[in-house]
């Protein structure tokens, strides 16, 4: 363990982790000593001869594993954003060890009895609201982790959790391997009709792998535009099949056996605790509370989305026929004809439009909005980070330091796919004040030397989305780490991120920041109008591909017996009437949300649930005087963004809005009203 680590963070400028103090060959020792200290402290709390009180039990527990928290934050951020063989090997070794450790804590009877005693006498403890909530969450964690089971069930529960951690890691590593292994060499002829930005990205992808010419990979920022522009139906089919085959049976990285075991163990775990199914167990602590509520929401959106997708499919089918292709519209056709239709109906040339969305200006746009809304200021600093492509900003408000924001924007083979926000340090006050150190990781295609990085409209949305999560972490103002920043219910956590996307779509923001990469000219008004008008274009497709995955996730976790999950997946798609020309956004074999983590298991609906909230919050701004209305912003920060998980989500929402939302604002937002 680096001696620079402290209970409040690191003893470095701005508490940024000293990455050079964590060489790969040291991690194992650091984990060992961090685990030893944590075990010692937990044992001391559990065997404390003094009667339990909030300070000697809950507050002590909050700080018991701070060394482990530090080392985990460094290691797991690195393994996701910049992995290598040593780190992956270590990750696989650590998964069961860390799971055993959390089991030990969760099953520690001495500790649980103290927490239980405090919980039973909570009304006499004169705790404030945040303390009550922190006690409730700790108590709930213990019960949900099997602490109140009989010894035999407790042991079984513990070994299931360890096995699940191994399986999830294996699933994630298979997926990363399948994404890394697959490339498709393209000839000069095969790229000749593609837009310039895509050709240079394909060339860069080849160069990165030591190849010559052009190379398609499974990076979403390459494959999506390839499907939009490649006129070779055969190559598009190869690309879609490779995308869908990640982790599929019969490949070197077959995930199907893993996911069957994962589902069986989750069901057993839920039954041990007395739940009918895993989703009942999982959703109990969410805002949705039950699978029934989730299914209601999915059903409310599915019909209008499917109706829209069917209408769109027939338009695209006709375009394909006119194009001389006498076949049924297939998944590898949809994006090509949709893109042609978009440019015809809205007159947008994507590669021309991208010129107005250079990455540095879009970062400025996000920061400018955060400044206008919350008074935050961002000053770029140049610390040593874990990869030379990372950038860092010091975030302050009226001269007070708020935290550090790190942006790691470019794709590379060592980074897993997708975009995410995580932290190196969470905000807290108890036991030494920590200011948050937050990171946004994206997979934008890195431009060739000297070229600007140009984003699509969707990439820009991703940038704002992750920045919204970052604001949630940065604006956190709580005492205990347990409830800091994004430590909220899963179906509430996408509210700040999806909400912030609305600001990216404001004409006043875009006309200020969307400027041509070379000339600096503001985006032409007609192009801006067309981009905004096209916002709901193809929402039928986007909603259907998403909802299909959400239905499969929910079904997997509400059935009490799951065998042959891939045939159940097919059955679900039949039952909902999945159009032939659309594939699921994530099919089970590569559904990282659900099988590489526990967090989104039976929780993939969360994005939609949060969207019900974000659509309603944004309508609040519009009702109350506009997107920068100071009073609305102040209530948003007070009741939602700064509060983290210190209160129940329903209560926070009602304090902000005066009522709970319905799905109406969401249907209006998606253009299905
Ligand atoms: Zn998100």
């Amino acid at each position: 363990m680096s001696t620079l680590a402290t209970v409040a963070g690191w003893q470095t400028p701005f508490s940024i982790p000293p990455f050079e103090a964590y060489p790969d060959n040291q991690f194992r020792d650091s984990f060992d000593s961090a685990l030893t200290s944590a075990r010692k402290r937990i044992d001391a709390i559990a065997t404390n001869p003094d009667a339990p009180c909030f300070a000697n039990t809950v507050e002590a527990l909050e700080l018991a594993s701070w060394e482990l928290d530090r080392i985990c934050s460094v290691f797991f951020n690195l393994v996701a954003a910049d992995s290598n063989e040593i780190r992956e090997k270590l990750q696989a070794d650590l998964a069961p060890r860390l799971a055993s450790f959390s089991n030990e804590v969760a099953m520690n009877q001495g500790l649980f009895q103290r927490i239980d005693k405090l919980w039973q006498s909570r009304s006499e403890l004169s705790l404030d609201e945040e303390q009550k909530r922190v006690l409730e969450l700790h108590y709930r964690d213990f019960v949900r982790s099997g602490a109140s089971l009989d010894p035999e069930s407790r042991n079984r529960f513990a070994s299931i959790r360890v096995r699940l951690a191994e399986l999830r890691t294996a699933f994630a590593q298979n997926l990363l391997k399948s994404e890394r292994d697959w490339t498709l060499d393209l000839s000069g002829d095969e790229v000749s009709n593609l837009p310039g930005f895509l050709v240079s990205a394909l060339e860069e992808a080849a160069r990165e792998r030591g190849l010559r010419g052009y190379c398609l990979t499974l990076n979403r920022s390459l494959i999506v535009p390839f499907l939009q522009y490649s006129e070779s139906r055969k190559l598009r089919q190869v690309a879609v099949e490779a995308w869908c085959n990640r982790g599929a049976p019969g490949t070197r990285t077959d995930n199907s056996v893993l996911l069957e075991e994962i589902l069986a163990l989750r069901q057993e775990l839920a039954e041990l605790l007395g739940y009918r199914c895993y989703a009942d167990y999982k959703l109990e602590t969410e805002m949705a509370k039950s699978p029934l509520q989730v299914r209601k929401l999915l059903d409310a959106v599915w019909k209008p989305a499917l109706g829209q997708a069917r209408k769109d499919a027939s338009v695209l089918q006709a375009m394909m026929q006119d194009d001389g292709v006498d076949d049924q519209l297939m998944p590898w056709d949809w994006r090509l004809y949709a893109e042609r239709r978009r440019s015809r109906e809205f007159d947008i040339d994507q590669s021309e439009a991208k010129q107005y969305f250079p990455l540095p200006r879009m970062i400025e746009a996000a920061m400018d909005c955060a400044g206008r809304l919350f008074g935050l200021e961002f000053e770029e600093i140049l610390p040593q980070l874990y990869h030379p492509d990372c950038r860092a900003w010091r975030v302050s408000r009226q001269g007070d330091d708020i935290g550090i924001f790190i942006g790691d924007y470019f794709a590379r083979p060592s980074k897993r796919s997708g975009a995410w926000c995580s932290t190196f340090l969470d905000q807290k006050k108890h036991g030494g004040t920590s200011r948050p150190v937050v990171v946004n990781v994206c997979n934008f295609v890195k431009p060739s030397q000297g070229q600007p990085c140009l984003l699509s409209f969707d990439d820009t949305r991703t940038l704002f989305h992750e920045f919204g999560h970052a604001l949630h972490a940065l604006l956190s103002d709580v005492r205990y780490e347990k409830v800091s920043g994004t430590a909220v219910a899963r179906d509430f956590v996408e509210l700040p991120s999806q909400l912030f996307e609305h600001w990216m779509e404001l004409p006043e923001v875009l006309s200020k920041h969307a400027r041509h990469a070379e000339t600096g000219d503001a985006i032409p008004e007609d192009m801006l109008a067309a981009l905004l008008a096209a916002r709901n274009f193809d929402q039928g497709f986007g909603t259907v591909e998403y909802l299909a995955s959400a239905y499969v996730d929910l079904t997997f976790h509400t059935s009490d017996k799951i065998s042959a999950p891939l045939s159940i997946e097919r059955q679900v798609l039949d039952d909902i009437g999945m159009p032939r020309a659309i594939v699921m956004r994530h099919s089970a074999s590569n559904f990282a949300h659900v099988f590489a983590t526990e967090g989104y298991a039976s929780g993939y609906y969360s994005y939609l649930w949060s969207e019900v909230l974000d659509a309603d919050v944004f309508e609040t701004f519009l009702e109350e005087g506009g997107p920068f209305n100071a009073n609305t912003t102040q209530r948003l920060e007070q009741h939602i963004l700064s509060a983290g998980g210190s209160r129940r989500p329903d209560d926070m929402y009602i304090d902000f809005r005066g009522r709970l939302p319905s799905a109406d604002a969401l249907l209006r937002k998606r253009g299905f009203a």
Side-chain angles (χ1 to χ4, degrees), residues 398-457:
Q398 294 173 335
D400 293 332
D401 272 318
I402 295 283
I404 293 293
F405 173 73
I406 297 172
D408 178 359
Y409 296 113
F410 298 132
R412 54 179 168 262
S414 62
K415 195 187 269 188
R416 73 170 167 80
S417 57
W420 63 93
C421 173
S422 83
T423 56
F424 284 104
L425 198 59
D426 291 315
Q427 181 274 336
K428 68 160 174 73
K429 294 173 191 161
H430 170 61
T433 294
S434 313
R435 287 193 195 90
V437 178
V438 185
V439 61
N440 275 182
V441 185
C442 302
N443 265 293
F444 303 137
V445 176
K446 192 177 176 177
S448 344
Q449 197 102 54
Q451 297 295 307
C453 171
L454 303 175
L455 303 184
S456 66
F457 203 63

Side-chain angles (χ1 to χ4, degrees), residues 465-466 469 494 497 600 607:
H465 177 101
E466 299 310 331
H469 283 306
E494 299 297 333
S497 53
Y600 280 94
Y607 294 95

